[in-house]
Amino acid sequence: MSGLNHPPSKSVSTANQSIQPQSYHVNSLGHACIGDMDLTELARTYGTPLYVLDAETFRSMAQTYTSALTEHYPESSLVLYAAKAQMNMGICKLAESEGLGLDVVSGGELYTAIQAGFPLENVFFNGNNKSIDEIELALHHEIGRITVDNPDELALVHKVAQKKGVKAQVLLRVSPGIECHTHDYIKTGQLDSKFGFNLSDLGPVMERITGEYKETIELKGLHAHIGSQIFEVRPFDDLIETLLNIYYNIRENYNGLTLTDINLGGGLGVAYTSNDDPMNVEKTIAHIAERLVAYANNLKYPLPRLMMEPGRSMIANAGVTLYTLGSSKSVPGIRKYVAVDGGMGDNIRPALYQADYSAIVANKANRPFDETVTIAGKYCESGDILIKNLELPAVEPGDFLLVFGTGAYNYSMASNYNRVPRPAVVLIEESEAHLLVRRENYEHVAALDVIPSYLLNPEPKADPAVQ
Ligand code: LLP
């Protein structure tokens, strides 16, 4: 197989290649800024921890994806923002304003899109165990496509569609058996994966789709997602060949059935630290589009509509998190810990994936480094360490730590561990801060608790000594 293994030259880099948001700079006070917004001021106004998003970076990535596809792929295409990376109603509107579709993976994400008034014909529903309620919600709102993950789910979609008297527009997610080099927990396309149809099971599935299910299931194409934080283009080359060979075989074996959609998933990597060397998205999309055209032509297969589902590369580098620094502890000869007012509750990625981050002190952004410290979270767990061996200027309690690259999978994986309220999310656009998600408070944390009535007025226990 020919092809670019790692599109290298970065003449014009894309926003996923830069640790900082596009509009990041340091002002005359030595404070870190996004656009004209001084992040020290922002932290004082909104409190910390605080998730901050740079609209310019998100828009720039959205435009990179859409314009690269338009320029390099002669058929139609659609970029589906993978909402799992970070979702709320404001982000849905931001995505809509850039002409993106949405990849959702749960009833909750679909509901958020519906509430935001997102154009539902551009919403695709992934996931490996959709419930009847979720499938009903999707069919009721006539969303773009349901991406069916396995034979049981296909039977369920058939049943619900039959009950509703509709035909579901479906992609099949396949597990293409392609290895990519990333953390084991975020690989998805390899053979031993909980996701997708095994290629060897496709025969019987096609029999059902073209037989028993032919009134309820309209097969539009295949979907595959091979993993996340991918730094090489080769797995996509392999994926294109694998999928198109299946398209070809389906056409040969099922009466000329020609699939019109192809969804290659997400997965392009981003820079979290200077050790990361992610691919240029513009060049990668150009490469993928060219490979797809070449291979389809080779098979004399009509070009399908091309879909990509980026999450991390769309939003990771648009986001930063602001924390207030608090207590510190030195372990002589070993390390100095400095604690922030957040941690694994707002960023589980270091604990879960040994993820690395870059950070600075927002109100001392120009100062030279004085010491190497380890940033500890405030959660009751020794593993709650955000960054090991970070070089910082001398810090004191009340300084603001700014962690870069926290736009993807931080807010969306946040928890209330230790009953800590989750942070607010603020979007910066045109030098203004716009609240996207309000900060939780203690009332929110306890809002759904129920004390069973028998525990409210317990019967006094009989004292055996009195009997
Ligand atoms: N499409 C599907 C079907 C996916 O499963 C995913 C991510 C994406 C698209 C978007 O992939 P991306 O472009 O973001 O790489 N929580 C992990 C990442 C899990 C990714 C799961 N699937 C992390 O924090 O690294």
Side-chain angles (χ1 to χ4, degrees):
M1 196 171 309
S2 72
L4 215 47
N5 225 352
H6 188 255
S9 92
K10 289 184 193 164
S11 41
V12 181
S13 62
T14 48
N16 64 310
Q17 298 179 296
S18 154
I19 296 168
Q20 292 98 355
Q22 298 278 94
S23 70
Y24 173 82
H25 63 103
V26 178
N27 69 11
S28 56
L29 299 172
H31 291 179
C33 298
I34 289 183
D36 289 342
M37 192 60 62
D38 181 329
L39 297 177
T40 301
E41 289 303 313
L42 197 75
R44 290 193 180 121
T45 308
Y46 287 91
T48 57
L50 183 67
Y51 295 117
V52 185
L53 267 181
D54 177 28
E56 187 181 318
T57 307
F58 183 89
R59 290 192 189 284
S60 142
M61 280 316 301
Q63 287 158 22
T64 299
Y65 270 101
T66 45
S67 59
L69 280 169
T70 312
E71 188 177 334
H72 299 283
Y73 193 65
E75 249 307 315
S76 65
S77 55
L78 180 62
V79 180
L80 302 155
Y81 166 59
K84 65 182 78 76
Q86 183 175 168
M87 190 193 207
N88 54 58
M89 292 200 274
I91 290 177
C92 288
K93 294 313 265 183
L94 193 65
E96 182 187 347
S97 72
E98 290 296 334
L100 305 178
L102 279 187
D103 153 37
V104 300
V105 293
S106 70
E109 287 186 355
L110 176 53
Y111 175 82
T112 307
I114 295 167
Q115 290 301 104
F118 195 88
L120 298 175
E121 66 277 14
N122 289 338
V123 174
F124 284 39
F125 194 170
N126 265 304
N128 67 314
N129 189 23
K130 300 176 196 72
S131 68
I132 292 182
D133 286 353
E134 288 175 323
I135 294 167
E136 272 177 351
L137 188 67
L139 290 178
H140 176 75
H141 287 277
E142 299 179 5
I143 69 163
R145 303 274 185 270
I146 299 182
T147 304
V148 178
D149 197 88
N150 53 65
D152 289 338
E153 204 179 78
L154 188 64
L156 218 53
V157 174
H158 158 70
K159 247 199 198 147
V160 179
Q162 194 172 46
K163 198 171 117 210
K164 295 181 89 66
V166 298
K167 198 162 189 182
Q169 314 281 299
V170 157
L171 302 183
L172 298 184
R173 175 168 182 173
V174 297
S175 181
I178 290 169
E179 285 287 332
C180 57
H181 303 109
T182 186
H183 192 288
D184 271 354
Y185 290 2
I186 52 180
K187 276 184 191 173
T188 41
Q190 75 278 21
L191 219 49
D192 181 8
S193 163
K194 72 168 185 170
F195 294 108
F197 287 85
N198 299 321
L199 299 186
S200 53
D201 293 340
L202 281 179
V205 166
M206 285 309 301
E207 292 301 323
R208 253 176 247 139
I209 288 176
T210 51
E212 196 189 335
Y213 298 163
K214 75 172 184 297
E215 302 304 328
T216 51
I217 302 288
E218 182 163 349
L219 180 62
K220 292 291 194 180
L222 300 184
H223 168 289
H225 170 79
I226 46 183
S228 202
Q229 188 64 342
I230 296 171
F231 281 15
E232 50 180 2
V233 81
R234 173 72 185 267
F236 289 98
D237 294 348
D238 296 349
L239 180 62
I240 288 166
E241 295 203 5
T242 305
L243 292 185
L244 279 184
N245 287 340
I246 302 173
Y247 281 47
Y248 182 85
N249 287 331
I250 289 178
R251 188 175 66 177
E252 291 296 289
N253 296 318
Y254 296 93
N255 237 346
L257 176 59
T258 303
L259 304 182
T260 55
D261 286 357
I262 191 165
N263 186 331
L264 301 179
L268 301 195
V270 306
Y272 287 107
T273 71
S274 54
N275 293 328
D276 295 326
D277 187 16
M279 298 186 288
N280 178 301
V281 168
E282 210 270 313
K283 293 189 167 118
T284 307
I285 295 298
H287 174 83
I288 287 174
E290 279 152 24
R291 294 290 301 187
L292 184 55
V293 172
Y295 203 66
N297 287 345
N298 197 18
L299 296 178
K300 301 199 173 13
Y301 202 90
L303 287 181
R305 174 166 72 140
L306 170 56
M307 273 146 293
M308 300 284 301
E309 268 171 11
R312 189 192 312 271
S313 54
M314 193 72 83
I315 202 164
N317 303 104
V320 304
T321 306
L322 293 167
Y323 301 95
T324 303
L325 291 173
S327 55
S328 58
K329 171 187 173 178
S330 291
V331 185
I334 301 185
R335 70 178 74 246
K336 177 176 172 185
Y337 291 97
V338 182
V340 292
D341 56 351
M344 66 192 296
D346 59 77
N347 185 358
I348 189 67
R349 300 192 69 260
L352 199 53
Y353 316 118
Q354 298 84 47
D356 288 329
Y357 285 90
S358 310
I360 58 158
V361 178
N363 52 309
K364 296 176 176 170
N366 276 339
R367 305 248 184 109
F369 301 145
D370 292 307
E371 53 183 349
T372 302
V373 302
T374 287
I375 304 295
K378 65 171 285 169
Y379 292 78
C380 273
E381 187 147 330
S382 301
D384 178 27
I385 299 294
L386 279 187
I387 306 180
K388 283 191 183 142
N389 303 326
L390 174 69
E391 287 195 296
L392 288 183
V395 290
E396 52 213 324
D399 282 340
F400 295 116
L401 188 78
L402 186 169
V403 180
F404 291 106
T406 61
Y409 304 111
N410 288 52
Y411 165 72
S412 58
M413 292 173 83
S415 77
N416 288 122
Y417 184 42
N418 294 167
R419 294 235 134 181
V420 175
R422 284 175 296 183
V425 182
V426 167
L427 177 77
I428 298 178
E429 175 130 54
E430 310 235 323
S431 309
E432 276 190 41
H434 308 271
L435 193 61
L436 292 184
V437 181
R438 287 193 288 274
R439 180 177 299 286
E440 286 181 348
N441 58 31
Y442 294 144
E443 276 177 36
H444 294 123
V445 166
L448 301 179
D449 292 4
V450 177
I451 304 179
S453 56
Y454 83 100
L455 291 177
L456 274 176
N457 298 305
E459 295 281 317
K461 285 228 168 76
D463 183 348
V466 179
Q467 284 171 358

